[in-house]
Amino acid sequence: MASVEWVEVRGPSVEKAVEAALTELGLESRDEADVEVIQEPQRGFLGLGGQDAVVRVKRKERSGSGGRARRTRSGNGTGGRSAGSKPADGGPRKDAAPRAPRESQARNSGQRTATAPRPAAAARPAERPKPKERPPRPPRDDDDREETPIEEQSADIRRFLVGLLAAFGLEGEVKERIEDGAIHIDVVGEQTEALVGPKGSIVQAALELCRTIVQRRTMDGAKIRLDIAGYSERRREALRIYTTRLADKVKAEGGEVMLEPMNAADRKVVHDTVAEIDGVRSFSEGEEPRRSVVIAAE
Amino acid sequence: MRGEIVQRVVEYISKEIVENPDEVTVTIVEEGPDEVIAEVRAAKGDMGRVIGRRGRVAKAIRVLAQAAADEEGLQARVEFID
């Protein structure tokens, strides 16, 4: 898997932005990264007119990371390790768009048509689009599974995850609740950060296993929402921040911007965020699983 | 033992997924200074469950095996042995 080496993230505070960036890079602690504060947050009046903190967080080089695909940034001057130790350089930067380094788009190229900057917060390998939600499996004659009440499905998942934490030797708590016909599971506790993974890959894998456990017993498993160590919530927040920045830009410059393809849940986060901002609107284009949100000036 | 967490995690998951948990074994083979292989064996009819449709479950198990290996500073591979 190609590994993203750095991201720029905006947040209400340096701490929050760094946290979101670390999550994005799949790092567990600040020790594993070089942090450069590009812009200190500035307080606005009643939440208006303030400026977010912007940080650039770079994965520290690790020896023996042989298998990882690395990519060096080119033509940009700040690619060295020294970038992290650079002090905050005061004034806001014009170009603080979050971009994963593998993005091929050139800095300051001014393109802002349908090519869409890749959101750091929501970066996902484009070559591996999320598979479409699977169609309900046809009933089989020899299927002796029965319908299981959602409470039991939820309890099964909880039990599975509690056991999984134990197998890892991690301390944590598994909370379950049923809301809108879906099972919501939160795995919480400091140590459960170890089960997030780069871009939430471990969360996704654990979710797949939860589904498998439920489908063993029941034909028609309920929808499962799984969050571990608050990853999904942080990711949504990062997506909101990114969307706001992009919408502000579209509002100022006109035209429209297409984001990278996202799943329905992420698109809803974008639509909801844009709906809060005057002067811009959003709509979706394209077919699943490559359906994308477009933000357009009104 | 190196790979202990990997062994425990892969075995736990596999047993949860199959019909015959008693027949699941996960053996750790040391492959190099930093690498272990978890060999998974299960009852004949259960291998399909451990691998899953289009290998989805196997893929998820591999991700969790590597997460377990990370706890020990190792690389982990998982092999499903028929």
Side-chain angles (χ1 to χ4, degrees):
Chain A
M1 180 170 65
S3 159
V4 177
E5 299 304 321
W6 62 273
V7 289
E8 273 182 21
V9 171
R10 179 179 289 249
S13 68
V14 171
E15 277 308 305
K16 288 242 165 71
V18 169
E19 196 189 346
L22 290 176
T23 301
E24 180 59 26
L25 290 169
L27 299 177
E28 283 161 28
S29 88
R30 206 167 165 153
D31 300 339
E32 297 174 71
D34 291 321
V35 175
E36 179 186 2
V37 178
I38 289 173
Q39 178 184 297
E40 294 281 351
Q42 281 155 33
R43 201 173 275 255
F45 179 66
L46 292 176
L48 299 169
Q51 272 184 328
D52 287 337
V54 178
V55 297
R56 176 178 301 171
V57 177
K58 187 163 171 288
R59 185 191 302 280
K60 271 189 181 155
E61 307 212 358
R62 287 198 300 187
S63 54
S65 62
R68 280 177 199 276
R70 297 188 68 87
R71 185 189 167 102
T72 48
R73 295 165 53 209
S74 55
N76 211 318
T78 55
R81 291 205 57 173
S82 60
S85 55
K86 225 170 82 175
D89 61 6
R93 273 162 73 137
K94 277 182 82 174
D95 179 26
R99 277 176 300 116
R102 63 195 150 152
E103 186 72 14
S104 57
Q105 121 196 14
R107 178 171 278 247
N108 292 333
S109 63
Q111 58 167 310
R112 33 167 287 280
T113 48
T115 43
R118 171 184 296 272
R124 216 179 290 128
E127 65 277 11
R128 217 158 26 83
K130 217 176 165 211
K132 226 179 200 170
E133 200 128 325
R134 80 190 68 173
R137 72 168 69 195
R140 299 188 321 224
D141 288 344
D142 61 340
D143 202 329
D144 57 355
R145 296 172 302 176
E146 293 166 3
E147 301 228 342
T148 312
I150 192 168
E151 292 78 13
E152 274 182 43
Q153 297 179 28
S154 182
D156 275 352
I157 293 169
R158 200 187 96 85
R159 192 189 44 74
F160 169 68
L161 291 171
V162 167
L164 188 65
L165 286 178
F168 269 92
L170 297 171
E171 281 174 26
E173 203 185 327
V174 181
K175 299 177 176 175
E176 49 166 330
R177 69 175 201 282
I178 292 161
E179 203 177 289
D180 303 328
I183 298 167
H184 293 252
I185 305 276
D186 270 331
V187 180
V188 297
E190 209 176 309
Q191 296 186 1
T192 65
E193 287 281 354
L195 298 183
V196 172
K199 295 195 189 354
S201 56
I202 305 175
V203 181
Q204 283 306 313
L207 177 59
E208 181 67 36
L209 295 173
C210 290
R211 283 201 198 103
T212 306
I213 299 287
V214 166
Q215 281 165 1
R216 253 194 69 194
R217 278 189 58 189
T218 188
M219 312 197 13
D220 190 22
K223 190 168 212 163
I224 305 166
R225 285 285 167 82
L226 173 66
D227 198 357
I228 299 179
Y231 167 77
S232 303
E233 183 47 45
R234 287 200 300 273
R235 196 177 156 283
R236 274 195 294 276
E237 183 56 28
L239 183 53
R240 284 185 203 111
I241 290 165
Y242 170 73
T243 300
T244 303
R245 173 197 292 189
L246 216 53
D248 286 345
K249 192 167 177 240
V250 169
K251 193 172 159 180
E253 299 176 8
E256 56 184 56
V257 169
M258 178 183 278
L259 281 70
E260 69 171 300
M262 290 175 192
N263 64 29
D266 286 351
R267 292 200 305 270
K268 181 163 174 12
V269 172
V270 175
H271 288 309
D272 289 350
T273 306
V274 171
E276 297 283 307
I277 303 170
D278 287 335
V280 283
R281 67 196 169 91
S282 63
F283 52 92
S284 295
E285 262 184 20
E287 294 300 316
E288 298 277 13
R290 299 198 54 78
R291 197 160 164 78
S292 305
V293 179
V294 178
I295 302 176
E298 274 186 325
Chain B
M1 182 189 85
R2 278 169 358 108
E4 193 179 345
I5 304 178
V6 178
Q7 198 276 340
R8 230 164 41 210
V9 166
V10 174
E11 183 175 280
Y12 171 73
I13 296 169
S14 304
K15 281 177 186 277
E16 284 285 319
I17 285 167
V18 298
E19 291 293 312
N20 300 295
D22 291 348
E23 292 190 45
V24 170
T25 60
V26 176
T27 318
I28 295 293
V29 178
E30 302 203 7
E31 179 69 357
D34 301 314
E35 189 173 7
V36 293
I37 300 175
E39 295 182 346
V40 182
R41 292 178 176 80
K44 234 183 185 172
D46 273 339
M47 224 29 177
R49 292 176 213 276
V50 177
I51 290 166
R53 281 184 302 144
R54 278 182 266 148
R56 292 171 71 117
V57 179
K59 193 175 149 204
I61 292 174
R62 289 195 165 103
V63 171
L64 280 144
Q66 186 53 53
D70 286 343
E71 297 286 296
E72 302 178 71
L74 297 172
Q75 294 290 315
R77 261 163 49 199
V78 182
E79 285 179 4
F80 300 91
I81 297 180
D82 251 330

